[in-house]
Amino acid sequence: MIDLRAARTDPDAVRAALARKGAAEDFDRLLAADERWRSLVPRVDELRARTKLKGKPDAEQLEELQVVKAELKEAESGLAAAEAERDALALRVPNPPHENVPNGSTEDDVREVRRVGEPVSLEEPREHFEVGRFDMERAARMSGARFGYWVGDTARLALALYRFALDRLATKGFLTVLPPVLVRESALVGTGAFPSDEANVYELPADELYLAGTAEIPLASLHAGEIVPAGELPLRYVAFSPCFRREAGAAGRDTRGMIRVHQFNKVEQFSLTRPESSWDELELLLSNTEELVSALGLPYRVVVLPAGDMSSASAKTYDVEIWFPSQERYRETASISNTTDFQARRLMIRFRGEHGPELVHMLNGTAVVDRMALAILENFQGDIPDVLQPFGAPDRVAS
C-alpha cells in the first residue's frame, strides 16, 4: 500500500500520479476516510486520559467515571469503524507509477525501448500447436476449455527450458526455490493481487486457500513480518512453479492453441533490496531475462508498459515481447517490475538501516515461461536451440 503519511504531505502530486492509473477517486476517498479517523483520535485519547484517576475516587468521581467509560466505548467503536474503512480503502489504492512511465492503458501506449534480432519471415509459418505435440481436446474433456497436455518431445522442450533458466540464474547467485502454490488470502493481499485481481484467482473455499497465479506471491511472503539483516541485501531468489489464472474477461481472446491457458509453468526472479538500489536491480532482472531470450536465438523487443496497464503493485514494468511468425507480431512473454515499498509495507518486510527499521524494495520478473517454448516452436519450426540440449531437449521436436 502507499505511504499515507507522505501522501498527506503532498496530496496533489500523489493524486496526479495515481490519476494515470485511474485511481484518483480512490485516493480521494482514502484521504477523506483518513481524515475522519484522525479527527476521532484526539477525542479517544482525551477520554482514555480521563479514565485514569489519581488516588481513591469518591462517589461523584465514580459516577462520572462510568459516564466517561460509556462515552469512551462509543468513541472507540467509532474509531475502529473509521480505521477499518480507511484500511479497506487503502488496499484499493495502487502504487503510483514512476515519472518516466508513459501514459495510457492499451498495448498501443507502450514505449518501445529496443528491438533485438531480426523477426523471422516464413512463407507458410506453422503455429505452435501444428509444430509441437499438444492435446487440448482430451484436456478439455477432462478439465474444460483452456487446458492442454504437453506430450513427448514438446514436454521435454519445456522441461529443458525451465532447467536452463534455473541453472543460469543459480550461477548468478540467485537462490533456487520451489514454493507452495496454495496460499492464504494474506499472501495475495500482501502482493496487491487482492483486491485488484480477485476475479482471476482460483479459490478453495473449504480450505481458505487460493491457487497462486505466479511464484511472486509465495516468494513475496517468504520474509513476511521479518527484519532482514541489512548486510544480506540484496536477497535474490529464482523459483519454478505451476501458475493458475481464471483468465476472467479473456473470452474470445487467443482461443487457438496454448497462448492463453488456465495453467502454465514459469521460472520467476525475485529480489529484495535497499530502496536506493531498486532501480538498478530492475535493470539487472531485465538484463537476465534478455540474456536468456538472446541465448535461445529468439527475436524480441523490450517495452515499458503504460501506467494504466501495469499491475496495482508496480511502479514500473518492462515487458519482453517475442516475435511469433504465425501472428506476425511481438507477444508479451515476460514482465519485470519494481514494486518499490508497496508490497513490503503490506507484508511488513524491513531491514535495519542507519535510522532504524526501513522498508525494503521488492522486485519480480519472469525468467522463462511456457509461452517462450511456443515461440521456439514457431520461430524454428521444430528445431531446438543447441543451448537447451544439455538439459534434456531433443535436437528437433517430433509432432
Side-chain angles (χ1 to χ4, degrees):
M1 61 182 66
I2 66 169
D3 184 344
L4 193 49
R5 182 176 298 179
R8 293 185 198 123
T9 304
D10 193 359
D12 291 340
V14 176
R15 182 182 297 106
L18 288 170
R20 301 204 298 142
K21 278 193 170 184
E25 291 184 4
D26 287 335
F27 176 65
D28 286 338
R29 282 192 285 268
L30 171 60
L31 284 185
D34 179 57
E35 179 60 33
R36 285 193 294 275
W37 175 80
R38 288 191 294 141
S39 70
L40 294 173
V41 171
R43 174 62 174 163
V44 170
D45 289 344
E46 177 204 348
L47 291 170
R48 285 173 178 167
R50 287 172 60 187
T51 63
K52 298 173 183 177
L53 302 179
K54 294 181 180 179
K56 186 176 181 180
D58 57 29
E60 184 177 345
Q61 287 176 316
L62 284 172
E63 184 177 345
E64 182 182 352
L65 182 61
Q66 294 305 313
V67 173
V68 171
K69 285 184 175 180
E71 291 178 359
L72 176 60
K73 184 178 180 180
E74 183 177 352
E76 286 180 331
S77 177
L79 182 66
E83 184 176 23
E85 180 188 16
R86 181 201 63 183
D87 291 349
L89 288 168
L91 293 179
R92 297 193 172 276
V93 176
N95 201 4
H98 189 275
E99 59 186 11
N100 69 9
V101 167
N103 291 327
S105 59
T106 72
E107 61 183 29
D108 295 328
D109 299 315
V110 303
R111 183 174 72 240
E112 186 173 298
V113 178
R114 58 182 160 270
R115 297 189 181 197
V116 178
E118 193 66 30
V120 177
S121 180
L122 303 171
E123 287 188 11
E124 296 183 5
R126 291 182 296 162
E127 295 188 66
H128 61 272
F129 55 85
E130 297 174 306
V131 180
R133 187 177 174 189
F134 302 94
D135 197 327
M136 299 194 72
E137 184 178 339
R138 288 188 174 97
R141 291 203 299 264
M142 178 185 68
S143 303
R146 296 188 186 270
F147 288 93
Y149 288 98
W150 294 62
V151 182
D153 288 344
T154 305
R156 292 174 60 202
L157 161 63
L159 292 169
L161 183 64
Y162 315 142
R163 185 59 189 274
F164 163 64
L166 289 167
D167 278 23
R168 280 287 182 102
L169 287 164
T171 64
K172 293 174 178 285
F174 284 69
L175 189 63
T176 304
V177 179
L178 296 176
V181 295
L182 287 169
V183 299
R184 290 179 173 153
E185 183 178 7
S186 58
L188 291 152
V189 171
T191 59
F194 275 9
S196 66
D197 201 31
E198 243 174 312
N200 277 313
V201 179
Y202 284 103
E203 181 181 4
L204 285 73
D207 301 293
E208 297 183 343
L209 292 170
Y210 301 83
L211 284 167
T214 168
E216 171 197 346
I217 293 165
L219 284 175
S221 289
L222 185 58
H223 294 285
E226 296 180 13
I227 296 180
V228 179
E232 294 184 7
L233 296 174
L235 287 170
R236 294 173 175 144
Y237 298 102
V238 58
F240 168 81
S241 75
C243 306
F244 304 87
R245 287 184 63 83
R246 292 185 63 239
E247 292 294 345
R253 295 174 59 196
D254 296 314
T255 56
R256 291 167 61 82
M258 298 287 292
I259 291 285
R260 191 179 298 275
V261 289
H262 293 305
Q263 179 183 337
F264 55 95
N265 296 307
K266 184 166 62 156
V267 175
E268 182 84 359
Q269 308 172 78
F270 198 87
S271 295
L272 293 85
T273 75
R274 286 175 172 267
E276 64 270 20
S277 303
S278 70
W279 295 108
D280 288 338
E281 191 74 8
L282 180 67
E283 299 301 321
L284 172 69
L285 298 189
L286 173 61
S287 69
N288 288 343
T289 302
E290 287 193 75
E291 181 183 312
L292 294 168
V293 176
S294 292
L296 294 168
L298 294 167
Y300 69 92
R301 71 171 187 162
V302 177
V303 300
V304 179
L305 290 188
D309 195 32
M310 295 193 303
S311 74
S312 171
S314 179
K316 182 177 181 178
T317 296
Y318 288 112
D319 269 7
V320 175
E321 301 180 344
I322 297 177
W323 180 258
F324 275 71
S326 69
Q327 301 180 32
E328 295 188 322
R329 58 179 290 206
Y330 292 97
R331 295 299 307 264
E332 181 264 316
T333 46
S335 290
I336 300 93
S337 300
N338 186 356
T339 70
T340 60
D341 60 6
F342 184 85
Q343 294 178 334
R345 182 171 285 105
R346 291 184 176 211
L347 292 164
M348 282 307 294
I349 304 175
R350 297 168 293 169
F351 71 99
R352 200 169 298 283
E354 290 75 13
H355 307 290
E358 299 179 38
L359 293 169
V360 300
H361 278 200
M362 299 168 70
L363 304 94
N364 63 84
T366 310
V368 298
V369 68
D370 284 353
R371 196 176 283 191
M372 291 186 188
L374 308 183
I376 289 170
L377 293 172
E378 291 211 4
N379 279 275
F380 307 128
Q381 295 289 287
D383 290 332
I384 305 301
D386 293 344
V387 72
L388 294 182
Q389 288 158 25
F391 301 98
D395 295 341
R396 182 173 175 80
V397 166
S399 57

